[in-house]
């Protein structure tokens, strides 16, 4: 076999959402900070296209690049590559990365619990893994500070008219809608329509509402639309289903860790969830993340929470992505049948 490029990948998923991890074959990108390196990956696009575009990737795939950390507390760092974005943080991808580091033997596993600090482009995340029998059974991630942005504001969406939405940040930026008000039950059969409508709502929210992170002005757009079902009280907090539409048009198979964090920030802002309480979030395929408010804090002078999310991850395979020097599509390709316009 001939190849002018060989990238070594350990594939994984977190509660259903794919989060592959590049463990070799790619040099760290240039940049003084991890955010600088993230910016290079986003603007250069060479690596993004190679691993995300077909024939190696697809709209369903996220890929994480392991790099040496910049912060002295961190044991490892990673840059997240999603279909359309290179975000500050991702809950499902952080669970995949932690699972690969421990189950893949890159970080020594301590039973019954392993603790480590990882660095995402948006900041440090502290990880606690419940480990048994040589397997990381459950990953707990202290996410980035999360906050409500706009509460109950009108949004004009073509074909829907005026709807009421919230916006929030949970390590990434969201427009949040009431699923029942739009006649969604958050079941698998609705996935295609949720994905398509979610892109339209996200586009409308960016055009009419916008978003700017108060401490990171480079993050100046809304990434996702979260369709949220009703909340039911539990002994420790609340539970509820949700489905997140990801550009250019797919539904997250997991409950989306950053969406869980953003929704807890909205609930905290409305007095619906207190410090120490939990939010049991269910995805469109029935998988679960557990969220918990660890403490209150501030981001740029506005009220915020420090959330914890937890879920399970599994390794699904080991791959070597290669490039034949005669391949006429070295950067791959995207077609509108799955990638949208």
């Amino acid at each position: 076999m001939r190849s002018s490029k060989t990238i070594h990948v350990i594939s994984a998923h977190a509660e259903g959402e794919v989060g592959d991890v590049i463990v070799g074959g790619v040099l760290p990108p240039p940049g003084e900070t991890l955010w600088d390196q993230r910016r290079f990956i986003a603007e250069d696009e060479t690596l993004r296209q190679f691993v995300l575009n077909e024939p190696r990737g697809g709209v369903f795939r996220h890929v994480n690049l392991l790099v040496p950390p910049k912060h002295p507390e961190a044991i490892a760092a990673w840059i997240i590559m999603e279909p359309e974005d290179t975000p500050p943080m991702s809950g499902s991808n952080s669970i995949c990365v932690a699972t690969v580091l421990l189950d893949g033997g890159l970080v020594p596993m301590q039973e019954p619990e392993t603790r480590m600090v990882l660095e995402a482009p948006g900041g440090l995340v502290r990880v606690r893994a419940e480990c048994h029998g040589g397997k990381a059974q459950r990953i707990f991630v202290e996410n980035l500070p999360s906050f409500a942005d706009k509460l109950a504001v009108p949004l004009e969406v073509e074909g829907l008219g005026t709807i009421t939405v919230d916006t929030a940040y949970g390590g990434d930026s969201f427009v949040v809608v009431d699923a029942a008000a739009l006649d969604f039950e958050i079941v698998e059969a609705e996935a295609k329509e949720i994905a398509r409508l979610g892109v339209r709502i996200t586009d409308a929210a960016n055009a009419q509402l916008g978003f700017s992170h108060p401490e990171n002005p480079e993050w100046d757009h809304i990434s996702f639309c979260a369709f949220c079902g009703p909340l039911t009280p539990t002994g420790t907090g609340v539970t509820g289903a949700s489905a997140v539409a990801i550009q250019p048009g797919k539904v997250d198979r997991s409950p989306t860790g950053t969406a869980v964090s953003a929704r807890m920030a909205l609930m905290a802002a409305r007095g619906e969830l207190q410090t120490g309480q939990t939010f049991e979030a269910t995805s469109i395929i029935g998988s679960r993340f557990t969220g918990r408010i660890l403490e209150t804090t501030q981001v740029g002078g506005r009220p915020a929470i420090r959330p914890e999310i937890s879920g399970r991850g599994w390794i699904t395979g080991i791959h070597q992505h290669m490039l034949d020097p005669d391949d006429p599509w070295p950067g791959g390709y995207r077609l509108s049948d799955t990638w949208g316009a």
Side-chain angles (χ1 to χ4, degrees), residues 249-269:
K250 60 156 280 190
V251 172
D252 195 325
R253 275 61 172 154
S254 80
T256 314
T258 49
V260 170
S261 301
R263 194 174 184 187
M264 287 196 296
L266 289 167
M267 286 190 278

Side-chain angles (χ1 to χ4, degrees), residues 245-317:
I246 298 176
Q247 300 274 15
K250 60 156 280 190
V251 172
D252 195 325
R253 275 61 172 154
S254 80
T256 314
T258 49
V260 170
S261 301
R263 194 174 184 187
M264 287 196 296
L266 289 167
M267 286 190 278
R270 291 191 166 102
E272 298 170 343
L273 197 68
Q274 308 299 320
T275 299
Q277 290 188 304
T278 61
F279 170 40
E280 297 287 342
T282 304
S283 78
I284 198 167
I285 66 168
S287 59
R288 290 177 176 268
F289 282 166
T290 299
R292 183 164 64 101
I293 298 178
L294 297 177
E295 62 181 2
T296 58
T297 183
Q298 289 194 335
V299 175
R302 67 176 66 186
I305 63 166
R306 183 76 179 189
E308 177 189 74
I309 52 175
S310 71
R312 301 167 300 169
W314 294 270
I315 289 175
T316 60

Side-chain angles (χ1 to χ4, degrees), residues 212-259:
S212 180
H213 193 285
E215 295 180 350
N216 184 0
E218 282 194 46
W219 203 251
D220 59 358
H221 68 277
I222 294 169
S223 295
F224 307 123
C225 178
F227 292 75
C228 294
L231 296 171
T232 302
T234 67
T236 58
V238 294
T239 184
S242 60
V244 171
I246 298 176
Q247 300 274 15
K250 60 156 280 190
V251 172
D252 195 325
R253 275 61 172 154
S254 80
T256 314
T258 49

